[in-house]
Amino acid sequence: MYSLDNTYSYDDLVQWYEKIIKNYSLDIKPKLVCELKIDGLAISLTYKNSVFTTGVTRGDGFVGEDITQNLKTIKTIPDKIVSDIQELEVRGEIFMPKTSFEKLNQKQLENGGKLFANPRNAASGSLRQLDANITAQRDLAMFSYYGRLDSKEYDIKSHSQMLDFLKKEGFNVNPNYKVCSNIEEAVEYCKYWDKERQNLDYATDGVVIKIDSFDLQSEIGYTSRAPKWATAFKFPPEEVSTIVKNIEVNVGRSGAVTPVAVLEPVYVSGSTVQRATLHNFDEVKRLGINIGDRVLIKKAAEIIPKVICVTEHSTGTPVPFVAPETCPSCGTKLVPVEGEVNLYCPNHLGCPEQVKARLEYWVSKDCMDIDGLGDNIVAQLVDKKLVETPADLYKLSTNDFMQLDLIAEKSAQNLYNVIQNSKHPTLARFINALGIRHVGKETSELLAQKFGTFENLKHSTFEQILEIDGIGDKIALSILDFFSNSFNNEVLNKLEMYGVVPQEMSQTDTTTLFSGMTFVITGTLSDTRDKFEKIIKQNGGKTSSSVSKKTSYVLAGENPGSKYTKAEALGVKIINETQFNAMLEK
Ligand code: IVH
């Protein structure tokens, strides 16, 4: 199953079309079919003698997973097609409607289950169930956009005829496709759906533009990964309108004080958003936001939502936001820090919000990974003065947890167990958990690789730290500063006393297979990106987030993005997961 080339620019679309006209000396402008690009999971269905026999995921394009039993529970996949056909393959996208996704998450919340980040993840999780009965309870649907049948009987000559055929045979074809006579009409289609997509009950991240005629498609052909007769226009990050209900002030773990807009909940780029950052107090002034105003928001880099602008001031008397002079958590006078726009609360040890934020960070996934100890529990532990520093977590008893609201004996026992079981994290995660300024996940991994044990890091010198490729003065000074602080040393001693000891980097766990090599990962692989990064690092390699001439390999999964195109342009070697595994086996 192929992937698609994509672009964010209308100019590129026009060029793609004009190049086809020129290269194939076409006298008549070729017809196009525009379809919404559904943000779901690609699958392929096989019908033998008119009966649905096998359904597989896209996988790496060559080998997918057989999920026939689960697909059989989806109503928009017919068990049997209308006509008598020996063999038919149909491809399309499985998705979960946005409203069903919201309902599923509500149900998960009530039953204490895992929440899904967006409808795509919910669809994927629902399809990958071992028990098809669970899939059957989830509201999944399929839009079909491709058919292949060997029989000449039907004489289907174009993509639009194929879509008509699929509809007649009982498949669900997205009704919003349009046959366009030229690229200008296709551009209009993209512009229309960029605005209108908010009102659809399924997620779409772009438009797929396909040459209609099958003859012309065959003439134009394919690259190794994508058809040259089709291209995808990706929508710019979605901008959605909502109301600012309040402006709160957030105190981060480093003491940085930032304004946050509390919003009327709204669905944007794949999830419901209730809060958006306003960055700093100058930004609130610049945007001219008052409480009650209508604003546009978007997800910056598709992750953290931000407020872009005010579109309509509230009709009532404006409630302006006044930046605080003192910390909203502990009342300490806020101070500016040279070279930074934020104000800071200097009460690092005593400010409850900072203490809570540091503990939330400590327990998070990339740090000590203490599953179950949510923000609410952390807040109660701090408010009840049971915990002040991460070390205090390890002396808590089951009884201590039972003093908290809504915690019964069984959950208290669970919390006690997860904390006790978290005492030996990897060295990198332990370093990350300490929250040393300017030291995040990547740097922690570099430090762990270099020093091997926590003792070595603790006693490292400025020069030794600087020997690490990718670490400069600012980070090195911050590390030395952290270890020379007496309070930090007190917490570290207590941690050790309670038996919190990170694993040492074992020499036997690592190889030099990838030493000197840099990998860039793009697209969806069979497991998390973290997992692949770990394998690369364990084998002596490095990972980077951007492709350059120095990149040794781009490891590309499903739906790779612009990194793939850049790698092609620079002539960087691109490998898929199967090839990567083969390298490891060597
Ligand atoms: S056509 C040979 N049409 O987009 C043509 N793909 O980025 C290949 N997708 O893996 C696909 N909606 O999962 C096509 N209307 C649509 C689509 C669509 C969503 C997905 C598909 C593919 C990915 C490529």
Side-chain angles (χ1 to χ4, degrees), residues 351-364:
C351 173
E353 278 309 304
Q354 286 187 56
V355 172
K356 283 177 198 171
R358 280 196 293 271
L359 284 163
E360 281 163 16
Y361 186 68
W362 178 267
V363 304
S364 66

Side-chain angles (χ1 to χ4, degrees), residues 2 4 35-38 42 58 93 145 208 210 227 229 559:
Y2 284 94
L4 283 172
E35 290 167 13
L36 292 175
K37 186 169 186 299
I38 311 300
R58 182 181 182 279
E93 203 84 354
Y145 50 68
V208 185
K210 304 172 179 175
W229 48 262
N559 297 333

Side-chain angles (χ1 to χ4, degrees), residues 464-498:
Q464 282 172 327
I465 302 174
L466 281 186
E467 277 167 19
I468 304 172
D469 196 9
I471 294 193
D473 290 12
K474 192 165 92 176
I475 298 177
L477 284 173
S478 172
I479 295 168
L480 294 183
D481 193 41
F482 181 89
F483 286 113
S484 64
N485 176 302
S486 60
F487 177 77
N488 291 341
N489 280 309
E490 213 178 287
V491 175
L492 289 173
N493 288 341
K494 273 199 202 156
L495 281 167
E496 199 180 340
M497 202 172 78
Y498 294 130

